[in-house]
Amino acid sequence: MPSADNVSADGAGLEVKAVVKRFGPFTAVDGVSFSVRRGELVSLLGPSGCGKTTILRMLGGLEYPDGGAIILGGNSIEHLPPYRRNIGFVFQRYALFPHMTVAGNIAYPLAKRGVARNERLERVDRALDLVGLSGFADRNPTTLSGGQQQRVALARAIVFEPQVLLLDEPLGALDKQLRDRMQFEVRRIQRTLGITTIFVTHDQIEAMAISDRIAIMKQGRIEQFGTASELYARPATEFVASFIGESNLLNCDVSNTAEGPIAKLANGFAVRAASAEVSGPARLLLRPECVEISSSAADVSNDNSAQARVEEVVYLGESTRVVVNLSGVRLMVRVTNNHLQRVDLRPGGDVRLNWRASDTLILPRESGLAAQPGEAVT
Ligand code: ATP
């Protein structure tokens, strides 16, 4: 049974239950379950080939699952053809009909559904207005910019008032500035309509900017599902920690003491950490902005304090990225630049680092992950 929290009483939420998809011997989607509340925007985020698009295609009816169920409005829809699902779809490449005008493109799904001409015109006008393209009705799509074409594709996907909107890397073909603007636009339109939406992306910044919640995927499975801040502040695995935001991920050995967990680094330095479910060999996660850097050796203020040598200073405008060496363990630190003038940051200089135990997370050690920027050098 869908829980009240996940699927609204009127059944307009979406539930994916233990869905499996195989291509020959290869399992592309391996028992994926998640729920999307009514009006919520959920992103599927993960590296190339992890199964994001395959899930979206199963939701849209372009692929059929080998196992599991997809429940929309209380009904299983996984075996229905696309035209019986009431779901709108926008792809990365706009896939507009080049021989039709903008209005013709947007009216197409209405004509297919037998909507009368007058109402069609009215709804096309409303959709054009919503995506900010009033006045473009008679243009040919080939004369529009990438961003404008993607707005038309969006208008075409929502004009028939679908229960669910599926967006597959819809901004992937746009340049960065336009992409940022369109993220805002997609969110505005989605909120205005209150439409339940699944958004596929491999860009963590985009997912964080646009989503109510994010499902982080790895090799056909959901690794963690939560809000951007939950995933960032409390990643369940090393994979999630390294996929969302910058991180120092260090090998350590954890012992649980009466004062809380102590994580011993490769150089023997003992770090006080937040509560740990693991002991023995593990990974320590410390976000670069959680470390305070000071030029005064006497500035010892937090649960963890250490002397380190500056190796590298990279000025990035609003912040500076500093690589420091703590007795053979390399750490990345982020300093916001309104703070910088108080700290003397030069390669070769000594600095004091302070950070809280509560900002030091212990994660199970995983094999096969690439070394992180803050990896230990010993
Ligand atoms: P990307 O970000 O690169 O689009 P993705 O996470 O969306 O990746 P999918 O397109 O869902 O990944 O593909 C998941 C896996 O399934 C990939 O290894 C892909 O090669 C495989 N796959 C997808 N469709 C088919 C198919 N029709 N036949 C065989 N393998 C397929």
Side-chain angles (χ1 to χ4, degrees):
M1 276 291 286
S3 73
D5 178 47
N6 286 326
V7 179
S8 65
D10 66 4
L14 177 71
E15 246 210 317
V16 175
K17 280 181 157 177
V19 163
V20 174
K21 180 67 191 175
R22 295 186 200 93
F23 295 109
F26 177 70
T27 304
V29 176
D30 193 6
V32 161
S33 301
F34 62 96
S35 312
V36 187
R37 299 175 190 127
R38 181 170 175 250
E40 189 178 30
L41 192 156
V42 164
S43 286
L44 304 180
L45 171 68
S48 184
C50 70
K52 307 179 294 289
T53 294
T54 305
I55 292 179
L56 216 63
R57 289 173 61 80
M58 287 191 282
L59 295 176
L62 307 174
E63 297 280 2
Y64 294 97
D66 294 308
I70 300 169
I71 295 163
L72 178 61
N75 301 311
S76 290
I77 60 162
E78 69 274 3
H79 294 112
L80 297 181
Y83 60 88
R84 291 194 47 212
R85 293 196 184 197
N86 200 19
I87 286 179
F89 216 128
V90 180
F91 301 93
Q92 179 171 358
R93 303 264 162 211
Y94 335 108
L96 299 175
F97 304 121
H99 59 282
M100 288 183 186
T101 61
V102 163
N105 266 278
I106 300 172
Y108 182 79
L110 298 175
K112 287 271 282 184
R113 285 168 174 77
V115 175
R117 189 182 140 76
N118 278 352
E119 194 181 336
R120 261 189 345 240
L121 294 175
E122 219 171 88
R123 287 221 220 164
V124 168
D125 271 355
R126 274 210 306 271
L128 277 171
D129 188 39
L130 189 67
V131 299
L133 284 181
S134 296
F136 285 71
D138 298 326
R139 289 274 287 272
N140 186 286
T142 55
T143 68
L144 302 180
S145 72
Q148 289 166 337
Q149 289 186 46
Q150 206 49 318
R151 284 168 198 262
V152 176
L154 194 54
R156 189 176 61 181
I158 56 174
V159 72
F160 61 95
E161 295 171 5
Q163 276 174 288
V164 175
L165 179 62
L166 306 176
L167 304 170
D168 190 1
E169 302 246 12
L171 314 179
L174 308 179
D175 67 45
K176 166 128 180 42
Q177 267 189 358
L178 186 54
R179 196 175 169 137
D180 291 351
R181 238 189 15 248
M182 283 297 288
Q183 283 168 8
F184 175 79
E185 277 292 283
V186 167
R187 192 56 167 146
R188 179 186 64 78
I189 292 162
Q190 188 266 338
R191 281 208 172 116
T192 304
L193 296 174
I195 187 169
T196 307
T197 301
I198 322 286
F199 188 97
V200 159
T201 180
H202 61 260
D203 178 340
Q204 51 127 339
I205 305 282
E206 181 161 278
M208 289 175 98
I210 210 168
S211 318
D212 292 305
R213 289 188 296 168
I214 301 170
I216 301 216
M217 292 193 61
K218 179 188 171 191
Q219 294 171 357
R221 292 169 186 248
I222 292 185
E223 189 89 349
Q224 194 174 354
F225 188 45
T227 63
S229 61
E230 283 164 0
L231 297 172
Y232 187 80
R234 289 280 174 267
T237 66
E238 217 179 307
F239 179 82
V240 173
S242 58
F243 208 81
I244 289 260
E246 287 181 330
S247 45
N248 292 291
L249 281 161
L250 307 172
N251 281 335
C252 64
D253 197 81
V254 178
S255 46
N256 286 297
T257 71
E259 287 84 46
I262 301 287
K264 205 174 248 188
L265 300 184
N267 60 2
F269 186 80
V271 180
R272 286 183 192 282
S275 63
E277 277 156 27
V278 242
S279 60
R283 296 279 270 176
L284 180 151
L285 166 67
L286 181 61
R287 297 290 189 187
E289 73 280 8
C290 293
V291 181
E292 277 181 34
I293 202 162
S294 153
S295 41
S296 161
D299 208 353
V300 178
S301 55
N302 274 308
D303 304 339
N304 293 296
S305 190
Q307 190 81 8
R309 180 146 295 173
V310 175
E311 284 195 348
E312 208 180 298
V313 180
V314 182
Y315 178 75
L316 295 167
E318 86 289 358
S319 68
T320 295
R321 191 170 59 210
V322 190
V323 177
V324 296
N325 192 317
L326 192 169
S327 307
V329 169
R330 195 175 279 149
L331 276 179
M332 184 167 52
V333 181
R334 276 255 182 196
V335 187
T336 50
N337 280 343
N338 58 2
H339 175 252
L340 188 63
Q341 55 269 30
R342 292 191 276 124
V343 191
D344 183 21
L345 290 173
R346 273 173 309 163
D350 282 336
V351 284
R352 166 75 32 187
L353 309 178
N354 290 303
W355 72 96
R356 281 195 287 266
S358 57
D359 289 330
T360 313
L361 302 189
I362 302 296
L363 299 173
R365 198 179 282 186
E366 286 172 38
S367 55
L369 281 179
Q372 298 304 306
E375 184 61 278
V377 288
T378 52

